[in-house]
Amino acid sequence: MESRKKLEVLESSAVQSHISMLQSIICRMAANSANCKTWTVTLVAAMLVLLVDKEMKIPNAWICLIPIVLFYFLDCYYLGLERLCIASQNEFLKSIYNDKDYIESLYKVGGLKDKSRQFCNVIGAMCSVSTTPFYLIVAITVLFLGGIIKL
């Protein structure tokens, strides 16, 4: 009987809408993270081409590290927000399964206003396998090409 009640709660339109809202936020954050990586490669490649083509007076490719660092931090921020939304969704579902009052948390994304929690998630994202190796490889490639081509 208890599992039937939980199933009815999970199938209610309000709960489904809330879960759908959280999933769309999570998908947006993941797409933003992917866009950061795309824009990093695009801008760095364009800057390297301009530095080689125009023979600018810049002694090396250090200037290409600026978009790498900026997009790295932005990517970590999006990944941190994504993790907060996943945690909010897990807490919401846990409250349903534990028969706690879930109505108060409907249409609220918990933890996004908590700056210390956001900061901790961004720092955690900096150690993530999805961010650090990518940006590190791009930075090493830029410095390697800058040394070979003598930008």
Side-chain angles (χ1 to χ4, degrees), residues 1 13 20-21 23 28 30 44 46 48 59 65 70 88 90 94 97 104 119 124 127-129 139-140 145-147:
M1 185 69 169
S13 62
S20 177
M21 175 190 70
Q23 282 296 313
R28 260 195 322 267
V44 168
L48 286 173
L65 294 178
L70 292 177
S88 176
N90 289 339
K94 194 180 291 183
Y97 285 117
E104 290 293 322
F119 181 74
C127 302
S128 173
V129 176
I140 289 170
L145 287 176

Side-chain angles (χ1 to χ4, degrees), residues 12-42:
S12 74
S13 62
V15 170
Q16 289 294 316
S17 296
H18 181 72
I19 292 171
S20 177
M21 175 190 70
L22 289 172
Q23 282 296 313
S24 67
I25 294 170
I26 291 167
C27 287
R28 260 195 322 267
M29 293 302 125
N32 288 342
S33 180
N35 285 336
C36 286
K37 291 173 179 69
T38 303
W39 275 102
T40 299
V41 171
T42 304

Side-chain angles (χ1 to χ4, degrees), residues 9 22 27 36 40 42 56 84-85 88 95 100 103 116-117 142:
V9 168
L22 289 172
C27 287
C36 286
T40 299
T42 304
M56 298 180 91
L84 281 175
C85 288
S88 176
S95 70
K100 294 182 181 173
I103 305 227
S116 63
R117 204 167 158 195
V142 164

